[in-house]
């Protein structure tokens, strides 16, 4: 069985070859870079949830889930008659 240091070296080698080895670490050119990217992305989502509140965060996700390469989530929601309350997106003080 490989030691932790040996497995980290193997993961770092794969990352340097362009493979994503850490969930959320897409784009990182090394294992350490991917770890930092994943941590920052996770923290960013948590911060946004705190700013908007749980209900606003869910509403924003609903709108984003409707978007595609042809139209925005807001446009699609309007076309399909899906109610999205944009007032919930305001940052809570």
């Amino acid at each position: 069985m490989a030691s932790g240091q040996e497995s980290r070296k193997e993961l770092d080698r794969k990352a340097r070859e362009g493979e994503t080895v850490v969930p959320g670490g897409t784009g990182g050119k090394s294992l350490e870079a991917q770890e930092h990217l994943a941590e920052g992305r996770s923290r960013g989502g948590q911060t946004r949830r705190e700013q908007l509140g749980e209900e606003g965060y869910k509403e924003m996700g609903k709108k984003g889930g409707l978007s595609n390469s042809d139209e925005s989530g807001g446009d699609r929601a309007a076309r399909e008659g899906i109610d999205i309350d944009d007032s919930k997106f305001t940052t809570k003080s």
Side-chain angles (χ1 to χ4, degrees), residues 5-87:
Q5 189 173 0
E6 287 174 357
S7 62
R8 282 190 62 82
K9 283 183 180 180
E10 178 64 17
L11 290 174
D12 189 53
R13 182 189 62 74
K14 288 180 179 181
R16 290 180 189 278
E17 291 175 356
E19 186 176 331
T20 300
V21 295
V22 176
T26 304
K29 303 298 181 196
S30 69
L31 176 60
E32 185 177 5
Q34 288 189 18
E35 289 170 341
H36 285 290
L37 282 168
E39 182 182 334
R41 289 176 178 147
S42 173
R43 193 176 317 124
Q46 291 167 359
T47 300
R48 193 69 178 139
R49 181 180 289 133
E50 291 167 6
Q51 290 172 338
L52 294 174
E54 188 69 26
E55 189 177 6
Y57 191 74
K58 285 181 180 178
E59 198 73 7
M60 187 175 70
K62 184 167 111 178
K63 185 175 184 178
L66 292 171
S67 67
N68 59 42
S69 61
D70 296 329
E71 62 185 334
S72 72
D75 292 344
R76 181 172 171 199
R79 182 174 50 81
E80 294 184 10
I82 300 170
D83 183 40
I84 295 181
D85 186 358
D86 288 340
S87 69

